[in-house]
Amino acid sequence: MPMHPDVEKILIDEKTLDEITTRLAGEIDRDYANAEGRVVLVCILKGSIMFMSDLMKKVTVPVEIDCMKVSSYGAGTASSGMVHIYLDLLRADIAECNLLIIEDIVDSGNTLNYLVKYLKGKGAKSVKTCTLLDKPSRRTAPFVPDYIGCEIPDEFVIGYGLDYDEKYRALPYVGVLKRSVYEQ
Ligand code: PRP
């Protein structure tokens, strides 16, 4: 596939994404092989859908899936620091569930820092986190994900689920967005 004209460079290509999801699925299989209770992969909409769908195909331990919709960003590229829950888990059996939150990116850390406490507070048996991309240089909340696909520099990335102004989510690779697109 030719590179999208708004993309400065491809940061993680399709082959590397495939290798990353294979490795992460192996780590999840190893760690949850003897889990007591249900194992639930929780996809954080919308950015995580492509990562979630590729990852869940490769995990071989029995899992259930669920979704949440949260938002920490206002319009554009700046983080507001606020976390809103638009779609919550609708389960009566949360005390039986080992929740593994699936994220596309950890930036400030606000979203996952909040969500882990929130879901533990709801009584989940365990709560862990898996992110495709980690930008530790941007952290304002002290948060370390349990599973990390790839550490990346502080660049504006899109594709493989990630957007700018709701565009570029369907690109099959992670790319760096040209500054001219968002600095107009
Ligand atoms: C993005 C991303 C994470 C969060 C990370 O979601 O998917 O949920 O921001 O940022 P943080 O570490 O600074 O909290 P966004 O609110 O852009 O929604 P989207 O996934 O629907 O695009």
Side-chain angles (χ1 to χ4, degrees):
M1 171 185 269
M3 201 164 77
H4 190 289
D6 292 348
V7 172
E8 180 72 41
K9 65 178 176 190
I10 293 177
L11 199 60
I12 312 176
D13 62 19
E14 290 181 71
K15 180 172 175 291
T16 308
L17 286 164
D18 186 58
E19 289 167 0
I20 288 170
T21 50
T22 298
R23 171 177 58 81
L24 290 173
E27 293 174 12
I28 292 165
D29 279 344
R30 178 198 65 205
D31 294 350
Y32 286 88
N34 300 310
E36 290 178 13
R38 301 166 185 266
V39 178
V40 184
L41 305 182
V42 181
C43 177
I44 307 302
L45 302 172
K46 303 177 204 172
S48 306
I49 56 167
M50 210 179 279
F51 177 44
M52 171 82 165
S53 65
D54 282 347
L55 184 67
M56 63 192 269
K57 281 183 278 190
K58 295 179 177 178
V59 171
T60 63
V61 295
V63 294
E64 301 174 24
I65 64 166
D66 222 320
C67 295
M68 292 182 76
K69 170 65 185 160
V70 304
S71 188
S72 67
Y73 282 8
T77 60
S79 172
S80 68
M82 295 287 292
V83 177
H84 303 283
I85 295 180
Y86 294 99
L87 172 65
D88 205 343
L89 291 185
L90 303 172
R91 315 184 61 112
D93 62 351
I94 197 155
E96 299 167 30
C97 295
N98 297 285
L99 304 178
L100 179 54
I101 303 172
I102 308 297
E103 264 288 24
D104 53 340
I105 188 164
V106 181
D107 194 337
S108 70
N110 283 331
T111 303
L112 285 186
N113 194 42
Y114 178 85
L115 264 187
V116 167
K117 288 180 191 151
Y118 175 77
L119 292 170
K120 282 183 177 169
K122 286 182 79 144
K125 201 172 182 65
S126 70
V127 182
K128 290 171 84 173
T129 58
C130 174
T131 187
L132 172 65
L133 306 175
D134 189 17
K135 266 190 197 176
S137 62
R138 295 264 302 170
R139 220 54 118 246
T140 57
F143 186 82
V144 180
D146 296 290
Y147 304 92
I148 299 170
C150 186
E151 202 171 288
I152 60 168
D154 185 15
E155 296 190 278
F156 197 89
V157 288
I158 44 84
Y160 201 68
L162 290 101
D163 77 309
Y164 171 64
D165 197 21
E166 294 301 327
K167 295 192 278 283
Y168 314 111
R169 291 194 196 273
L171 295 176
Y173 51 81
V174 176
V176 176
L177 189 61
K178 285 182 179 169
R179 297 187 80 89
S180 57
V181 176
Y182 58 91
E183 288 186 343
Q184 289 171 359

